[in-house]
Every structure is written in structure tokens, then in C-alpha cells.
Amino acid sequence: MGGAGGGGGGAMRLSPCQAVLALAIALNLLVLYYVSRLQRRAARRPRERGPASAAPRPGLTVLLREFEDFENYVPEVARAFLRQRPAPPVLVVADAPPYPPLRLPPGPGPGARLLVLRPAADQPAAARRPEAHVSTEFVALVPDGARADGAGQLERMQEALRAERGSVRMVAAPVRALRPLQCLDLRVSLRRWAAEYRAAAAPGLCGALRGDAVVLLRARDLFNLSTPLARPLLTSLFVQTALRGWAVRVLDVSFPSLHQPLLTSSHNQWKADRRAQASRRRLFQDFGIKRVVLEDGREQWYGCSKETPRCFGTVHDDTPEYLYQDRWTPPCCLRALRETARYVVGVLEASGVRYWLEGGTLLGAARHGDIIPWDYDVDLGIYLEDVPNCELLRSAEAGSVVDEKGFVWEKAIEGDFYRVQYSEHNHLHVDLWPFYPKNGVMTKDTWMDHRQDVEFPEHFLKPLVPLPFAGFTAMAPNNHRGFLELKFGAGVIENPEYPNPARKRLDKGAL
Ligand SMILES: *[C@@H]1O[C@H](CO)[C@@H](O)[C@H](O)[C@H]1NC(C)=O
């Protein structure tokens, strides 16, 4: 009993030991409260400032862009990378909501998120802008099927990229057992609508990659590209980086793969190949690349053909639209013009019509044996008295004729001359200008408002001389320098200029 009474007395009065304990607990609670408040404030801050002004967090975001809806390993890839320490945020980017839906792993931590690029009428703009979803310094572009195995590849890639100076702005690591990685050089000329791949001169230092690789670059660099995530992802990436002079280094690091081959059936492989071809075609069309030369020398054409319209519209003020975009004649058009010129010359020669290279066409032949790189048609002079020798020209008098090769012969509506079009759809053409001699001077009845469209002494045609042109040999005036300077002015062969400098001048640095 006495003990119980003593205990009751103890509850009223604190012993020194109990007081110290209570104080320590109170202090602890206070410290905990302030720490948690500070943490909450720190967590809020970046969101309040918005992604644009926030300095990038160190580390990287894993970005998955290339996968097929109908068969992919995206959830497994995401899970494998989320198991790394530290776990990177994983962003899966698709054009449209994938179907069937991806079963992405949720958090803890950043987890994996899906970003759909297709516009959605009820969403804010940032919802579909990938750069608004990446807050790290680096982005690792990871192909479907790549696995992370805790060997620290991503850290090594970041270290390697940090150590790079100069033009190397990307590093890459192949994914084992998927498509082998090729290191290529890539030259892109927008002026010539062309991209040329070659085997890389320096091993491991590339302008482009083909195959499956993880590519690491700075988010700032990736999202400063005109179209950072267009598909096919690596094709699009390297066309844009080649134009900026950026290189990619292949590291002595590689990733394992989840499954091989990636697609389990030949039908799915066929579907994937077809889709890849379609997106490649769309990409090159968007970029205005019409001729691609592969590293083995094969050519791919993405421009106009006999079955499509000409790839530029009606020409105003002698200045075709592509000159205003600082581009020259699309290579498919040059090719079609060469083909048409060669064909027409063959027909004229076979039927005994005397002809000669005229105007800008002769100028191109004199300068470099070809069509001037920004020209849009081919001009030939012919003897008017020889026209009846050629059945196609005779028939063209009565209306347009499609010949057996698909070329269209017609009398021009603009005046007394003939026009041969590449095809019914594609109106690239060779113009034939009939001249006749009058007192030793070659003249004609229709004149265009061009400085070079003038009479000239017939002695330039006596005799006609062969001249290499556009891959064959055509007839040209003798003393073609005298002929061209009479028409265009002195020094015309040495001093190239666009057809109408008042509208658009040639930038001499482009030559
Ligand atoms: C984005 O690119 C342009 C030129 O292409 C360059 O001038 C600019 O500095 C770049 N911005 C960043 C943030 O890298």
C-alpha cells in the first residue's frame, strides 16, 4: 500500500531524470515538425517556379519512343530501369494512346509515365510537350527490348558525356543481341535536298547510328531540335544533329536485351517493317530530303516521279519557290529533266531536226556539263524548217500527244514553241524554240521578256558542235562562249547568278 501511495506522489512531482526525458521528447517533436515543413516547401518550389526556369536536376530521364503497339516490352523495360539505383524517371512517349494499353509500373518514386503527343482538345499545351515532362540534365533514348542489369551503364555514359568537349554531344551504347550497331558518317544538304550516309572514317566517332543503341544526350540539346521525337527516332535525331555538326561517340559499354528477336512472329516483323518505312518516308518528306544515299551506295528517292505532280508550283518572276527557301532544284527534278532532255534529243536526231542547246541550258553545259543546279527547265533551239521532219512535233500542232514512252508533246499556249513534258502528271519540261534564218541572222516570231532571248548570227550554228551535257552528248553552237556572252553579257560563264537577281540573289558562299 505504502508503495502505491509513494507512486501516486511520484506522478505529481517529476524526478530530474523524468524532466530531462520529457524535454528531450518535446525538442525532438519540434525538430521533426520543422524538418517536415522545410521538406514540404522544398518539394513545392520547383512546381511553383514552373519547369522552364528550374535548373535541370542532375541525372537522367529514360525515354522510350520506338515500340510497336501490337508487340512490345515497354513495361518490362521500364521496370528494369526503375530497379536501378538511383532510379531514373521513365517517360514513355507515343503518338496516340497505345492499344492495347501499356501496363506501366507505378511508383514508388517517379515511376513510369506515358506521354501522348496527339493533340487533345481538352488538355493544356504542356500536357503533350515532352520537354515539360523532363526535368533532368540528361535524356537516355532507350530502344524497346533493352534491359538494365545494375552494371552502372547509365552512370558511365553520363560520366563519358560530361568529359566530352567539342562536337561530341551524344554518347551511345549498343544493345546486345538486337540489331547490330553501325557507326556512320552523315552529310545532309538541305540546299540539295539530300542526305548521304557513309561508313564512319574514325571508328566509334559517328555522325549517325543504325541499329539498336541507348543514346544519351543533354535534355537542353534534345529539346532544342526542331522536332526532337519524330520517328524513326534515330534517323530523325541524326539528320538534325548532322546539320548542327554534332557527333556521337560509341562507348565500350553495352546493355543486355530482354528478348530476342524482339518481335516473335514474322507477321509482326513485317508489320513493324512496313510502319518503319512509312514513317521514314514521312520524315524525309517533312525534312525536304528527296534523295538518300546509303552507305553501300544504294539510292533512295522520296521526291516526284512520273506518277506524281512536279514538286514545285508555277514559277513566278523566273524564281521558283525553292530558291526562296535557299534550296536548289530538287534532285528528282534534275534527274527527270536530264531524262527528258536525253529522250527529246534522241527523237530530234533520229528524225533529222537540227537543234542546239539554248539559253541557260547551254550555260550549264558550258559551266559544268550539266543542268544549272537551280534551273527548272531545259531549252533547245530548233530550225523551224525542220519541224515537219518530226512526226511528234507535227502531231503536237493539232493538240497534245502522249507518246509511247509517256512523254507529252504539245504546242505551248504561251507562244510559237513546243514543249515536251516528263509525263501527264509531272509537268517538268523541255522547251523547243523554232528559229529561222533571215539575212544570216537567226530570228523567230515569239519573244519572251528575257535578256537572252535575242536574235543571233547564223554562223554560230555553222557548224553545230558536240558538247557533253547531262550525261550524254548534245549539239551546241560553235564558239559557245561568244554565243552566251552575246545573249547574257560578258563573263556570264564565270559569274553565276540566279535568273532574276531583283527577286532573289545567289549567295556566292553557297557555291
Ligand atoms: C538552341 O539552338 C540555337 C541554334 O540552333 C542556339 O543558338 C541556342 O543557343 C540553343 N539553345 C540552347 C539552350 O542550347
Side-chain angles (χ1 to χ4, degrees):
M1 294 288 285
M12 302 305 288
R13 276 177 292 114
L14 292 170
S15 74
C17 189
Q18 284 168 323
V20 167
L21 205 72
L23 205 72
I25 290 173
L27 263 171
N28 250 321
L29 282 172
L30 214 70
V31 166
L32 256 169
Y33 171 70
Y34 275 106
V35 165
S36 83
R37 257 188 63 159
L38 276 176
Q39 273 178 346
R40 247 179 298 150
R41 209 180 290 169
R44 249 198 329 260
R45 199 169 299 142
R47 207 165 300 159
E48 285 162 2
R49 278 193 295 160
S53 59
R57 283 196 287 125
L60 60 81
T61 300
V62 165
L63 197 151
L64 276 135
R65 174 70 175 119
E66 284 289 0
F67 59 89
E68 306 298 340
D69 278 17
F70 50 84
E71 185 178 5
N72 66 69
Y73 298 86
V74 170
E76 290 86 339
V77 175
R79 224 169 280 130
F81 279 91
L82 286 170
R83 271 199 300 271
Q84 306 303 296
R85 289 295 166 262
V90 174
L91 187 63
V92 179
V93 181
D95 293 313
Y99 182 82
L102 299 169
R103 297 159 66 91
L104 292 178
R113 278 177 306 151
L114 173 69
L115 171 67
V116 172
L117 297 176
R118 191 167 74 186
D122 60 345
Q123 304 267 313
R128 44 180 289 266
R129 281 210 307 264
E131 63 271 34
H133 299 257
V134 172
S135 57
T136 52
E137 182 182 4
F138 298 104
V139 175
L141 305 172
V142 172
D144 190 13
R147 190 159 61 84
D149 58 0
Q153 293 98 330
L154 292 174
E155 276 67 41
R156 280 156 70 195
M157 292 180 80
Q158 286 178 80
E159 272 166 40
L161 185 53
R162 278 217 185 82
E164 289 288 354
R165 296 285 171 269
S167 67
V168 177
R169 300 254 202 147
M170 301 168 280
V171 292
V175 179
R176 298 195 290 272
L178 294 185
R179 288 166 299 182
L181 194 62
Q182 285 173 274
C183 174
L184 304 169
D185 282 335
L186 170 58
R187 279 183 38 193
V188 180
S189 168
L190 294 181
R191 193 184 299 285
R192 295 177 188 275
W193 314 74
E196 243 173 278
Y197 294 90
R198 289 201 199 131
L205 185 62
C206 338
L209 300 172
R210 204 189 309 288
D212 285 306
V214 174
V215 176
L216 184 88
L217 73 171
R218 287 193 169 75
R220 158 164 56 86
D221 285 344
L222 176 64
F223 294 120
N224 199 16
L225 299 178
S226 173
T227 167
L229 298 178
R231 292 174 83 182
L233 182 63
L234 294 192
T235 310
S236 155
L237 177 71
F238 294 125
V239 165
Q240 295 176 83
T241 56
L243 286 165
R244 288 157 177 80
W246 300 356
V248 51
R249 193 183 300 283
V250 178
L251 303 177
D252 192 15
V253 170
S254 65
F255 288 83
S257 51
L258 279 160
H259 194 277
Q260 37 167 302
L262 193 61
L263 301 179
T264 45
S265 72
S266 59
H267 178 69
N268 279 357
Q269 188 58 56
W270 172 81
K271 267 166 78 176
D273 289 345
R274 236 179 40 149
R275 197 206 40 75
Q277 272 169 27
S279 61
R280 185 178 167 87
R281 177 164 296 279
R282 201 171 323 112
L283 180 78
F284 284 133
Q285 268 162 8
D286 287 348
F287 282 162
I289 291 174
K290 295 181 186 288
R291 176 173 175 261
V292 176
V293 183
L294 299 178
E295 59 279 12
D296 60 8
R298 270 182 304 145
E299 282 182 314
Q300 294 176 331
W301 294 86
Y302 297 97
C304 56
S305 69
K306 276 213 160 185
E307 286 72 43
T308 70
R310 182 172 79 167
C311 35
F312 54 93
T314 305
V315 175
H316 298 276
D317 300 325
D318 301 328
T319 308
E321 58 194 65
Y322 50 77
L323 289 188
Y324 293 107
Q325 301 157 24
D326 291 320
R327 288 173 179 246
W328 289 343
T329 313
C332 49
C333 299
L334 288 173
R335 185 174 70 153
L337 282 173
R338 290 187 195 108
E339 185 185 330
T340 312
R342 178 185 213 131
Y343 174 71
V344 169
V345 159
V347 171
L348 297 178
E349 286 178 353
S351 48
V353 175
R354 287 164 292 168
Y355 73 91
W356 60 96
L357 302 175
E358 253 297 341
T361 302
L362 179 62
L363 191 52
R367 274 195 198 133
H368 61 286
D370 201 358
I371 297 169
I372 292 176
W374 48 85
D375 209 352
Y376 50 91
D377 64 6
V378 165
D379 291 313
L380 301 177
I382 55 173
Y383 270 90
L384 179 63
E385 67 193 71
D386 292 352
V387 166
N389 299 349
C390 175
E391 197 197 320
L392 283 163
L393 288 177
R394 274 203 319 271
S395 327
E397 289 285 346
S400 89
V401 184
V402 184
D403 73 14
E404 54 180 18
K405 294 274 162 50
F407 294 91
V408 182
W409 297 67
E410 62 186 22
K411 193 82 188 286
I413 39 173
E414 293 94 333
D416 280 329
F417 62 98
Y418 301 89
R419 178 162 283 179
V420 185
Q421 288 177 178
Y422 186 44
S423 75
E424 281 179 280
H425 296 292
N426 190 329
H427 294 184
L428 284 164
H429 55 257
V430 173
D431 283 336
L432 307 175
W433 302 92
F435 283 81
Y436 55 89
K438 198 170 158 186
N439 307 323
V441 169
M442 295 304 288
T443 187
K444 59 187 169 77
D445 296 330
T446 295
W447 297 97
M448 304 313 255
D449 188 19
H450 289 149
R451 143 151 222 189
Q452 70 266 29
D453 199 21
V454 290
E455 297 179 331
F456 58 91
E458 191 182 9
H459 65 70
F460 283 112
L461 307 181
K462 303 222 144 165
L464 289 165
V465 298
L467 195 63
F469 173 70
F472 61 102
T473 299
M475 300 310 277
N478 64 74
N479 182 13
H480 58 252
R481 172 175 294 276
F483 184 86
L484 286 167
E485 296 204 331
L486 169 87
K487 294 204 164 201
F488 291 96
V492 65
I493 297 179
E494 291 74 21
N495 300 297
E497 186 45 271
Y498 285 162
N500 187 348
R503 286 284 173 275
K504 180 75 183 167
R505 291 194 76 87
L506 171 66
D507 166 15
K508 301 292 192 292
L511 292 176

